[in-house]
Amino acid sequence: MNKLFTTSALLCALSLGFTSCSKDDDNTIVTEQEYQAKVTVKDGETVNLANISRTSNSQGTINRKGNVYSLRNFKQFTVGDDNKATTTAATTYYLDFKENDGASSNNFMVYVNAKGSNVDLATNSLKGYTLSYIDKAFDEVKATDQFVAAKNNLLGLQSAYAPNVIGWANYTGAPNHQVLAVANRTIIVLKDNKPFFKIRMNSVYENETMNHEVAPNNYFFYSIDYQELQ
């Protein structure tokens, strides 16, 4: 073996782990590039998905404060044979928090239903995403917390009429017939069993405000906060 190459390799192996010796021993520093989401949101910025989404059928806004992203008035529409969005609201919305964007039924992280009283939120288990939750304020949740696995990777609507259901939202029943997020229930999306994102579901109503106290019907416009767990 070439003596010069042997010495170079030894020096490389003894060096601290922040540098990497190249093929030509040029001590090139190797740094892992930060993942570039399909929709980028700068700190303090608000983007409009109708203008910037990689999907043709998504609308809503995303604001970023630090590492927390706030998705507001998220809605999706059906797609016609020409691959263009129609004016008909979809009955299922697809999301990818990693991409800060809506998604398709073939490539999503989570979906949320948007029909009748069905507000199920579920993960794409085929891509290794699973769902858990913790009854703890969103801002306080850490990746090292102990989470409860959601049955069938799904959280939906709980009510007095469905006492065995554990969900992210409550149905109040008569007389107001409102759908309200469970207070301080933080949802966790795991990737290959590792905590990946924490989610706070806020509202299904447009601008997070019910248009009527009794039987409000200005839905489904999802309001969701999310943050990657480190």
Side-chain angles (χ1 to χ4, degrees), residues 18-73:
F18 297 106
T19 61
S20 173
C21 295
S22 71
K23 185 176 179 180
D24 298 321
D25 192 31
D26 59 359
N27 290 325
T28 302
I29 296 176
V30 176
T31 59
E32 183 178 351
Q33 290 186 343
E34 182 178 352
Y35 180 81
Q36 189 71 29
K38 290 181 179 177
V39 173
T40 58
V41 187
K42 298 177 182 178
D43 194 3
E45 181 184 36
T46 299
V47 300
N48 189 333
L49 288 178
N51 299 329
I52 201 171
S53 175
R54 296 297 182 92
T55 62
S56 65
N57 64 329
S58 299
Q59 73 174 34
T61 63
I62 301 178
N63 172 265
R64 176 185 167 194
K65 292 181 180 177
N67 293 320
V68 177
Y69 294 79
S70 298
L71 175 64
R72 295 295 181 265
N73 290 328

Side-chain angles (χ1 to χ4, degrees), residues 127-203:
K127 289 187 174 292
Y129 295 113
T130 51
L131 200 65
S132 292
Y133 69 94
I134 184 172
D135 287 331
K136 186 176 181 180
F138 176 86
D139 294 335
E140 299 175 2
V141 172
K142 299 178 176 61
T144 54
D145 286 335
Q146 296 298 310
F147 307 117
V148 180
K151 185 178 180 180
N152 298 322
N153 294 320
L154 183 149
L155 291 169
L157 190 65
Q158 59 188 41
S159 71
Y161 309 101
N164 296 322
V165 173
I166 297 178
W168 70 265
N170 283 314
Y171 172 59
T172 63
N176 291 335
H177 302 286
Q178 299 170 350
V179 174
L180 304 174
V182 176
N184 291 327
R185 177 161 291 172
T186 301
I187 299 170
I188 307 298
V189 174
L190 301 92
K191 172 66 172 175
D192 299 327
N193 296 317
K194 180 181 178 181
F196 192 17
F197 277 90
K198 61 178 179 178
I199 303 167
R200 176 170 55 205
M201 304 293 290
N202 298 303
S203 176

Side-chain angles (χ1 to χ4, degrees), residues 49-59 75-80 82-86 101-104:
L49 288 178
N51 299 329
I52 201 171
S53 175
R54 296 297 182 92
T55 62
S56 65
N57 64 329
S58 299
Q59 73 174 34
K75 193 177 187 73
Q76 284 191 316
F77 298 85
T78 59
V79 177
D82 58 357
N83 290 323
K84 294 182 180 180
T86 70
D101 201 1
S104 70

Side-chain angles (χ1 to χ4, degrees), residues 1-10:
M1 180 180 291
N2 185 288
K3 184 175 180 181
L4 179 60
F5 176 79
T6 304
T7 303
S8 175
L10 179 61

